[in-house]
Amino acid sequence: MTRSAISTLTFFLSLSSSAAELTKPSSQNTPWIPPPLPLPPLPSASQLKWQQGEMAMFLHFGPNTFTDSEWGSGQADPSIFFPTNLDPRQWAAVASAAGFSRLVLTAKHHDGFCLWPSTYTNYSVRSSPWRSGEGDVVAILAAAAREFSLGLGLYLSPWDRHEPCYGKTLEYNEYFLGQMTELLTCYGDIQEVWLDGAKGKDEKDMVYLFDSWFELIHQLQPGAIIFSDAGPDSRWIGDEDAVAGTTCWSLFNKSSAAIGDTKFEYSLKGDPHGHDWVAPECDVSIRRGWFWHSSEHPKSPLALLEIYYTSVGRNCLLILNVPPNSLGLVSDEDIQVLQNFTAMRHTIFSHNFAEDAIVSAGSTRGGLYDPRFIPSNVIQEGIHSYWAPEECQTNWTLILDLRKSVSFNVLLAQEPIQMGQRVMEFHADVFIEGEWRMVANGTTIGYKRLLLFPVEKAQLLRFVIDKSRADPLISYLGLYFDPFSTTRNLLNASRRPSFNDTGGIGLMRLNTTSSNRSLVFRSL
């Protein structure tokens, strides 16, 4: 063994011995040091809850579902909307079983057709034969979301290809806010309002009074997150493949962005010098299109797993579109893919090889007798406990003794983002054959960072923060084994596994016809 390896092990053993001292009771006469100062900007309570939800299910549904269209003309006859088996409760059951935290419905898409009986237009479910014009998709979905303890979000398209007053600034903004008020006052708690800047290049010019919109939304639904490509509460990542930047800050300058005119690179990475907290959101569809088309098929479970790594695993919320079909149901093949995606995540993340680790640190805020900041906090799930180093130190190191050699290929790291996003660079090493060898490195962490690397078998892991905006805080470290993915897939993140490629994994079926849902596995 080399002299440097012996020195490293001696240092590690001294840290482990110090960690054992934590079992001693602290002196009641010794005052505790206060927690470190939060580092602005900080997330609001609503933003914090939103980010912890991790995944939302987008539901694109409307006349386009029946006309095989993506952008409807706004001229389709309302009679085309006639889902014979519409069941938003099934949508909610599927979302709940797959681990989604909320549902977001296209209450009105670009064609202007409303899935609720708006009093401001006749171009809605009121004029369709579905339920003899007495139906309300938004109301049925809101009830289903409450039943399954899911949040509800609504998409209201600014671009409206049907409404005659579109293009007239005062009249259309009044019309839009009238409809927004209906949606935000008639259906209970709304957790997200989804807006975008999509518009055909030859369409009428239109000035949207966004500031008035945002103020009204927050007035009527104070807890709602407003999404657009420029915030104010969450932002678009800049693509519809759910591939976030490997550097991804929740920090942002809203003054440097404008809806419909935000620079891709800025949205993708965020801004370490940003003055606002505008967390990133990744949108992608389970199929090629956003609306259901009989000719299309869903992505494979492996493709969804890769999307999870490049979105949730890069400090983003993933909003995955699962479009109901013309019957008004989530298609069986989509359900099957979601079930397998869920099973894969469970296989990987149900066991953290670090959960019983002995954890040591280069330093600890308040010393080893203060349990609020001790190294072992990083193996407690959640972001509300954390390790903090002593102030003004440069040795920002955590060492995990896994007690025995284990094989793993996934590292999960989290920061307590309620204290601000801090880490700018980090790396992880394993101790093999008498020396430390780096297996993973990255830049930002944020709420959650997942790194996939070739399988390693080791007992000791060293996690090092190389650069930080302030003293770094780490809330969680996890080590997992992923038997499905390959590092090649993530090194070329723009390439997705092929559609309908199940990859030879076990499949499972989900019975969503009753409140007692059961998982039934079948193998290929």
Side-chain angles (χ1 to χ4, degrees), residues 17 63 69 218 223 343 346-347 416:
S17 299
S69 305
H218 281 151
H346 178 78
T347 296

Side-chain angles (χ1 to χ4, degrees), residues 44-56 101-102 104 191-194 223-227 233-235 250 277-282 315-319 417 447:
S44 68
S46 296
Q47 288 173 315
L48 196 60
K49 179 181 178 182
W50 172 89
Q51 182 101 53
Q52 290 176 293
E54 293 197 358
M55 296 194 305
S101 61
R102 70 179 61 84
V104 179
Q191 293 191 1
E192 185 164 2
V193 174
W194 224 86
I225 295 297
I226 303 174
F227 167 91
D233 301 316
S234 68
R235 74 177 193 270
S250 293
W277 187 277
V278 186
E281 185 166 346
C282 291
N315 188 41
C316 297
L317 183 134
L318 169 62
I319 181 165
I417 57 172
Y447 171 69

Side-chain angles (χ1 to χ4, degrees), residues 240-304:
E240 293 184 344
D241 296 316
V243 179
T246 53
T247 296
C248 194
W249 292 95
S250 293
L251 283 60
F252 198 70
N253 274 330
K254 289 187 281 191
S255 61
S256 300
I259 296 175
D261 187 30
T262 300
K263 299 296 184 289
F264 169 75
E265 194 74 11
Y266 193 67
S267 295
L268 185 70
K269 293 183 176 181
D271 186 346
H273 307 292
H275 300 296
D276 305 300
W277 187 277
V278 186
E281 185 166 346
C282 291
D283 62 328
V284 67
S285 185
I286 196 171
R287 292 166 175 253
R288 294 190 187 278
W290 289 92
F291 285 87
W292 177 84
H293 305 281
S294 60
S295 61
E296 295 181 353
H297 301 284
K299 293 177 171 67
S300 70
L302 187 58
L304 295 189

